[in-house]
């Protein structure tokens, strides 16, 4: 597909790539290497004992520094995990109180929610609790107060986000994936975002909007990891080490959201980071473990459970139930495709018409959700509480509002079906509004209502025909069908369908139940869900939002474009000559261009590549040279090292390669010594060994270099002559305009879901017309 076939909106998304900055991971690695070598040299200088081998204070201090440096990372990871656990516990407590205050208040203490107010009452029979008082005995008045509270909560949350921290809106998972891949988004992990999102998240959940707190909890956890590690110089100066902590924090965020430390680590591997090392995995696990232990100590629900919907199953399942498990898997795949497709359309409508009315949109959605949802028992209560009810077995206090009564099973099926349909619609329009909004728990709640509905129907079939067909295998002395397990599997299917993750969901569900017997059914359901999603060509909603927002992120999947890098590279380059340039020429070049860096060639007539220097380094040297030395527009600029540059302070032979990792004081000393003559030398900041490729190299190989090595720029040279350069943005723009020649998805081959529906509709109309015409001819005869 050529650029001529793109509409204005798609072209605008492609142009948006130019506004972003990415980290050069190779440069960051060189910087960290040089810093590590200099630090080792300093430590080595003081790490020797006295002349006779005696222990000195300097030696003891050097040993202490080694221990501190070795344990600093684990200390930071532990501190981050503890802070994430504390924050998650507080958010859970406040959310429960705000959710219940819409229904009534506790006479024993206004700060108690309904569960703690009626702590002595068992089996959720809060109607007989004398301490809990509804706001009114009149149904209409209770409905009105419920709606008013929902509107107030959403208004306060939306106003705080709009006024103080715009990045606190949404889930944040898509942006964090880009940040971990090297995308720079200043302020997204800042303190304002952390504080406002932590405050507004309970308000949004309590407002009743069909959004969840698990996705935003990952964003909040990453903010904590970024803020805590920023206080330590080791992480503050290294983008790579900082992102290791952020990756570990994302694992801890999922761990406290689901009470699943191992699931959190797998989520970081499967969804968040596309380049995951073993070292990062261990740190992620330790951070998730510390966060989970902290949350366990806080015990926010006073039940010994980390999350409200944590359950334990001790019944076994039957092989004939696989038929119904497959139905749940199909539902998960269809649900994921439906929500992803129509949520993107809702997001496009929001961007086009509601971009300036985010607060009004959030309040309106909350009020409409409360007005409609109040009439349904499963939409009226909090989603996590709803799942905790639907997951339970009927024995042992699981009969909430006659959920297990056979006499009302069909009205209950109708209620569950309506809850599934209505909440699906609300999720489509609510996810992405300008308040903290996740999609994990809403999807699980939808899957739980659908799964419980299927479970009740299967149980009704067994009750009606206990000795016929497949039910003949059941033990008559034991309950044959457990509807709660169907709700549990339906929740797993819906979550997997919308996020397109599999192994992580299996582990999370196992850690939620602790039941080894249900690992196989969960795997079956999720494999069917994945197969349906692959058949429909559906991507995860996080990946689709990355593409929708135009973020510079290369997908994990490889495509065959059958083109070389010469078709993608930029050819009209702004270069610098290795010698012969003056400060005047350099300033003019900087003023007339907006590029992030300049290739250095031997001369204007010769395009022989000599190195590469970034725009930031050029401006840094020029600004400090003006402060430290007397330079003029006629001062010569040199980008090549010569014999007179041996022994420059701060650049010993033990640190070979580009000197982009020099410290501030050393850099000023270098500038001061080089300005003393009539030549301003930039060579300490020149990357003399930039990554280069041949113009005949296939584009797929270049994409692999970007994904695995992470350079900001790859220069293209033909037999030593510079012919172009390529960046991640260039690759993204090309892939946006060109469709891969590889295997197309079923969705693409059929023209998409829209094409399928349109084709079905057209075929139906034609068939009806044919039948009608034949009927008229028959009547005439």
């Amino acid at each position: 597909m050529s650029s001529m076939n793109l509409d204005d909106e798609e072209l605008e998304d492609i142009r948006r790539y130019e506004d972003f900055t990415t980290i050069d991971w190779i440069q960051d690695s060189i910087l960290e290497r040089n810093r590590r070598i200099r630090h080792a040299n300093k430590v080595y200088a003081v790490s020797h004992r006295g002349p006779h081998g005696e222990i000195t204070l300097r030696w003891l201090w050097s040993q202490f520094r080694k221990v501190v440096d070795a344990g600093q990372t684990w200390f930071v990871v532990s501190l981050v995990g503890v802070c994430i656990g504390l924050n998650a516990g507080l958010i859970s407590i406040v959310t429960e109180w705000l959710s219940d205050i819409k229904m009534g208040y506790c006479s024993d203490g206004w700060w108690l929610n309904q569960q703690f107010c009626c702590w002595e009452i068992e089996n959720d029979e809060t109607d007989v609790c004398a301490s809990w008082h509804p706001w009114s005995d009149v149904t209409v008045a209770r409905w009105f107060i419920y709606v008013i509270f929902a509107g107030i909560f959403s208004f306060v949350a939306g106003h705080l986000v709009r006024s103080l921290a715009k990045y606190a809106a949404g889930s944040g998972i898509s942006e964090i994936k880009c940040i971990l891949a090297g995308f720079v988004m200043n302020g997204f992990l800042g303190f304002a975002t952390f504080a406002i999102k932590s405050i507004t998240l309970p308000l949004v959940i309590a407002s009743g909007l069909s959004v969840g707190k698990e996705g935003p909890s990952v964003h909040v956890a990453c903010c904590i990891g970024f803020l805590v590690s920023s206080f330590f110089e080791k992480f503050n100066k290294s983008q790579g080490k900082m992102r290791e902590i952020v990756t570990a924090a994302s694992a801890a965020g999922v761990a406290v959201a689901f009470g699943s430390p191992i699931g959190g680590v797998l989520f970081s591997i499967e969804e968040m980071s596309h380049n995951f090392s073993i070292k990062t995995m261990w740190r992620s696990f330790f951070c998730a473990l510390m966060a989970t232990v902290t949350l366990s100590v806080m015990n926010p629900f006073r039940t010994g459970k980390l999350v409200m919907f944590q359950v334990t199953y001790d019944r076994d399942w039957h092989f004939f139930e696989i038929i119904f498990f497959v139905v749940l898997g199909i539902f998960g795949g269809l649900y994921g495709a439906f929500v992803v497709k129509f949520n993107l359309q809702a997001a496009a409508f929001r961007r086009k018409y509601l971009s300036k009315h985010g607060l009004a949109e959030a309040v309106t959605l909350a009020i409409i959700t409360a007005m409609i949802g109040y009439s349904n028992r499963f939409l009226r209560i909090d989603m996590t509480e709803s799942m905790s009810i639907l997951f339970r077995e009927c024995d042992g206090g699981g009969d909430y509002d006659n959920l297990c009564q056979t006499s009302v099973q069909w009205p209950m099926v109708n209620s569950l079906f309506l809850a599934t349909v209505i909440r699906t619609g609300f999720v489509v329009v609510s996810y992405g509004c300008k308040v903290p909004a996740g999609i994990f728990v809403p999807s699980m709640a939808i899957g739980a209502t659908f799964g419980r509905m299927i479970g009740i129907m299967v149980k009704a079939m067994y009750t009606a025909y206990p000795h016929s067909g497949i039910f003949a295998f059941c033990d008559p002395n034991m309950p044959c069908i457990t509807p709660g397990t169907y709700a549990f599997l339906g929740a797993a299917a819906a979550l997997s369908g919308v996020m397109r993750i599999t192994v992580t969901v299996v582990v999370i569900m196992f850690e939620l139940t602790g039941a080894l017997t249900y690992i196989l059914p969960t795997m079956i359901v999720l494999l069917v869900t994945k197969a349906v999603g692959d058949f429909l060509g559906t991507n995860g909603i996080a990946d689709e939002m990355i593409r929708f927002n135009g973020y510079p992120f290369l997908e994990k999947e490889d495509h065959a474009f059958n083109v070389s890098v010469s078709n993608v590279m930029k050819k009209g380059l702004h270069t610098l000559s290795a010698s012969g340039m003056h400060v005047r020429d350099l300033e003019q070049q900087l003023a007339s261009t907006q590029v992030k860096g300049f290739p250095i060639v031997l001369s204007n007539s010769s395009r022989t590549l000599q190195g590469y220097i970034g725009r930031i380094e050029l401006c840094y040297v020029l600004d400090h040279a003006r402060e430290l030395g007397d330079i003029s527009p006629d001062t010569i600029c040199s980008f090549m090292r010569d014999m007179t540059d041996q022994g420059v302070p701060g650049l010993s032979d033990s640190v070979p390669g580009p000197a982009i990792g020099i410290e501030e004081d050393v850099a000023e000393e270098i500038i001061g010594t080089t300005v003393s003559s009539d030549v301003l030398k930039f060579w300490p900041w020149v990357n003399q060994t930039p990554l280069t490729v041949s113009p005949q190299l296939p584009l797929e190989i270049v994409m692999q270099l970007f994904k695995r090595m992470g350079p900001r720029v790859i220069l293209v040279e033909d037999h030593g002559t510079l012919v172009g350069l390529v960046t991640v943005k260039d690759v993204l723009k090309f892939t946006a305009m060109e469709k891969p020649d590889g295997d197309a998805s079923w969705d693409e081959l059929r023209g998409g879901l829209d094409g399928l529906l349109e084709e079905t509709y057209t075929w139906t109309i034609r068939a009806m017309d044919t039948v009608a015409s034949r009927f008229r001819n028959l009547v005439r005869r």
Side-chain angles (χ1 to χ4, degrees):
M1 179 177 64
S2 65
S3 60
M4 297 298 293
N5 296 329
L6 294 174
D7 57 26
D8 293 338
E9 185 176 348
E10 289 175 313
L11 286 173
E12 185 62 31
D13 290 339
I14 293 171
R15 294 191 193 101
R16 200 177 301 137
Y17 291 138
E18 300 298 335
D19 300 331
F20 300 138
T21 303
T22 54
I23 296 171
D24 192 326
W25 291 115
I26 294 181
Q27 178 174 321
D28 186 72
S29 299
I30 295 173
L31 186 149
E32 179 61 28
R33 168 186 173 274
N34 292 351
R35 186 184 295 118
R36 185 173 62 250
I37 292 175
R38 283 192 299 272
H39 177 73
N41 291 339
K42 292 179 181 178
V43 173
Y44 181 79
V46 298
S47 62
H48 296 288
R49 298 191 180 191
H52 304 289
E54 66 272 14
I55 297 176
T56 62
L57 290 177
R58 294 182 65 185
W59 182 84
L60 289 175
W61 176 249
S62 66
Q63 300 305 309
F64 176 75
R65 286 292 302 273
K66 288 181 180 180
V67 174
V68 170
D69 290 340
Q72 189 179 78
T73 300
W74 294 102
F75 173 75
V76 172
V77 167
S78 302
L79 184 60
V80 169
V82 170
C83 292
I84 291 173
L86 290 171
N87 182 265
L90 292 174
I91 288 178
S92 297
I93 293 171
V94 176
T95 301
E96 288 302 309
W97 181 79
L98 289 174
S99 297
D100 290 342
I101 204 68
K102 295 188 300 182
M103 309 296 296
Y105 66 95
C106 183
S107 59
D108 295 340
W110 60 268
W111 59 88
L112 296 176
N113 63 11
Q114 188 173 5
Q115 179 186 5
F116 285 94
C117 185
C118 305
W119 185 252
E120 71 280 359
I121 306 298
E122 297 181 356
N123 299 334
D124 296 325
E125 296 177 358
T126 53
D127 293 338
V128 298
C129 177
S131 300
W132 183 258
H133 297 277
W135 289 111
S136 175
D137 296 329
V138 181
T139 303
V140 176
R142 287 203 302 267
W143 173 83
F144 182 75
I145 294 173
Y146 181 89
V147 173
I148 290 297
F149 268 114
I152 292 174
F153 290 161
S154 61
F155 174 80
V156 174
H159 180 70
L160 290 174
V161 170
R162 185 184 66 175
S163 304
L164 301 177
K166 63 177 182 177
Y167 285 145
S171 172
I173 289 182
S174 302
E175 289 83 355
I176 292 171
K177 286 183 67 173
C178 296
I179 289 174
L180 293 177
F183 172 46
V184 177
M185 184 181 286
N186 295 322
F188 191 80
L189 300 178
F191 179 78
T193 303
F194 157 72
I196 296 303
K197 199 152 193 172
S198 298
I199 294 171
T200 57
L201 191 52
L203 290 168
V204 172
I205 302 304
S207 70
L209 277 170
S210 294
V211 295
K213 66 177 181 178
E214 275 61 24
S217 295
V218 176
H219 184 190
V220 171
C222 292
C223 290
I224 293 174
F226 178 81
L227 293 171
V228 171
S229 58
S230 296
F231 289 103
F232 298 85
E233 184 180 13
K234 179 178 181 180
F235 303 96
N236 195 25
K237 287 189 174 183
S238 174
Q239 296 286 354
K241 291 185 178 298
M242 176 67 76
R243 274 155 177 75
E244 288 180 2
I245 300 298
V246 174
T247 302
S250 69
V254 175
V256 295
F258 293 102
S260 172
I262 301 177
V265 176
L266 289 176
F267 178 81
S268 296
I269 297 174
E270 189 174 2
E271 179 67 12
M272 300 302 294
S273 179
H274 65 283
N275 188 11
F276 207 93
S277 64
I278 299 297
K279 179 176 62 176
T280 306
M281 184 184 71
W282 278 110
R283 291 172 181 173
S284 299
F285 176 73
F286 191 73
C287 186
L289 183 64
M290 293 298 296
T292 307
V293 169
T294 303
L295 186 63
S296 178
V297 172
M298 291 187 68
N299 194 12
F301 305 111
R302 294 297 184 268
T303 59
K305 298 179 179 179
L306 298 178
V307 291
M308 182 177 289
F309 48 88
Q310 190 170 351
V311 291
T312 302
Y313 294 125
D314 44 18
R315 293 179 186 171
D316 206 346
W317 56 281
H318 305 85
F319 275 97
F320 69 81
E321 291 183 276
I322 292 179
I323 301 172
F324 308 108
F325 296 160
V326 170
V327 173
L328 296 178
I330 295 173
F331 166 79
L334 294 175
Y335 165 79
F338 178 86
V339 169
V340 169
K341 175 179 176 57
F342 288 101
N343 180 256
L344 288 176
Q345 294 185 359
F349 179 86
R350 180 180 292 115
R351 174 185 291 177
K352 189 173 183 179
Y353 298 105
L354 303 176
S355 58
K356 298 181 180 179
H357 309 285
L359 179 58
E361 179 198 3
V363 174
T364 303
L365 284 174
I367 291 176
I368 293 175
T369 304
M371 292 173 64
I372 297 176
Y374 187 83
S375 60
N376 187 285
R377 70 194 83 187
F378 299 107
L379 297 178
R380 184 167 56 244
I381 59 178
D382 180 64
M383 284 181 287
T384 54
E385 184 179 357
S386 172
M387 281 192 291
S388 70
I389 293 168
L390 295 172
F391 286 174
R392 295 176 193 165
E393 296 179 352
C394 286
D395 300 336
D399 189 15
Y400 167 82
D401 199 9
N402 297 322
L403 182 63
C404 297
Q405 298 300 318
T406 306
S407 58
V408 293
Q409 60 186 3
W410 295 116
M412 190 63 64
V413 166
N414 293 334
S415 181
L416 289 167
F417 177 75
L418 287 175
T420 302
V421 174
I422 294 172
R423 179 156 279 155
T424 300
F426 281 139
V427 166
V428 167
V429 298
S430 299
Y431 180 71
C433 60
K434 300 303 181 183
V435 291
I439 202 170
F440 282 47
V441 164
S443 296
M444 293 178 68
I446 291 169
T449 52
F450 180 82
R452 187 77 185 212
M453 179 188 72
I454 297 296
I456 293 176
M457 294 172 65
V458 175
K459 186 177 180 181
M461 292 169 57
Y462 168 71
T463 304
Y465 309 100
H467 303 294
S468 62
I470 55 178
F471 299 115
F473 295 96
C474 294
D475 185 352
N477 299 319
M478 295 288 294
C480 180
I481 305 298
T482 306
T485 59
Y486 286 75
F488 168 80
L489 295 173
L495 176 59
S496 176
V498 77
M499 292 298 297
R500 302 291 286 143
I501 52 178
T502 52
V503 179
T504 299
V505 178
V506 172
V507 175
I508 287 176
M509 291 303 180
F510 165 68
E511 291 185 280
L512 280 174
T513 62
L516 282 170
T517 54
Y518 279 89
I519 284 186
L520 182 57
T522 307
M523 293 174 65
I524 293 173
V525 169
L526 296 189
L527 286 175
V528 174
T529 299
K530 185 179 186 309
V532 173
D534 292 342
F535 184 71
L536 296 175
T538 307
N539 293 319
I541 195 165
D543 294 330
E544 290 293 346
M545 292 308 298
I546 289 174
R547 187 180 296 107
F548 177 80
N549 291 317
Y551 295 145
F553 182 81
L554 290 174
E555 299 178 6
K556 297 180 182 179
E557 291 80 10
D558 296 324
H559 298 296
F561 292 94
N562 295 327
V563 297
S564 61
V565 70
S566 59
N567 295 82
V568 184
M569 68 182 185
K570 293 178 180 177
K571 299 177 182 179
L573 304 181
H574 301 279
T575 61
L576 302 177
S577 298
S579 59
M581 293 190 67
H582 298 80
V583 170
R584 179 193 305 108
D585 304 325
L586 188 57
E587 291 176 340
Q588 182 180 359
Q589 186 83 297
L590 290 171
S592 61
T593 62
Q594 297 295 327
V595 295
K596 299 295 191 298
F598 299 89
I600 299 172
V601 295
L602 190 59
S603 64
N604 291 330
S605 59
S606 174
R607 304 281 289 181
T608 304
L609 182 63
Q610 300 295 311
Y612 183 87
I613 188 169
R615 186 186 191 91
I616 295 176
E617 286 77 15
L618 282 173
C619 296
Y620 172 83
V621 176
L622 283 174
D623 293 341
H624 283 71
R626 293 190 187 99
E627 297 175 1
L628 300 175
D630 185 15
I631 63 172
S632 67
D634 295 325
T635 301
I636 299 175
C637 301
S638 175
F639 296 93
M640 295 288 292
R641 186 173 185 173
D642 54 33
M643 297 301 296
T644 61
D645 296 321
Q646 302 298 326
V648 174
L651 295 176
S652 62
D653 293 335
S654 61
V655 189
I660 54 180
I662 53 183
E663 304 293 344
E664 183 79 14
D665 54 345
V666 177
E668 293 182 358
E669 188 175 357
I670 295 173
I671 296 173
T673 57
T674 57
V675 173
S676 59
S677 61
D678 293 332
V679 178
L680 179 58
K681 298 183 179 180
F682 290 89
W683 64 263
W685 290 267
V686 173
N687 185 355
Q688 301 172 15
T689 57
L691 187 60
T692 60
V693 296
S694 169
Q696 290 79 31
L697 192 69
L699 178 61
E700 294 80 18
I701 307 300
V702 176
M703 294 175 69
Q704 289 296 324
L705 290 175
F706 278 122
K707 286 188 285 187
R708 297 182 181 182
M709 302 186 67
R712 180 184 296 153
V713 175
I714 295 179
L715 301 179
V716 184
E717 62 174 353
D718 189 9
H719 299 90
T721 301
L722 179 67
V723 294
L725 64 79
V726 61
T727 65
V728 174
K729 300 173 186 178
D730 298 324
V731 174
L732 288 167
K733 286 190 289 187
F734 177 81
T735 56
M737 292 186 296
E738 297 290 335
K739 290 294 183 181
D741 295 331
D743 295 334
S745 65
W746 180 87
D747 194 43
E748 292 169 337
L749 291 173
R750 297 290 296 172
L753 291 176
D754 281 342
L756 177 62
L757 293 175
E758 184 177 352
E759 183 180 340
T760 303
Y761 175 78
T762 304
W763 182 87
T764 304
I765 295 298
R766 290 177 178 175
M768 292 175 65
D769 289 341
T770 303
V771 173
S773 62
R774 290 182 178 178
F775 179 77
R776 286 194 297 268
N777 294 333
L778 182 63
V779 170
R780 289 172 183 173
R781 291 177 183 176

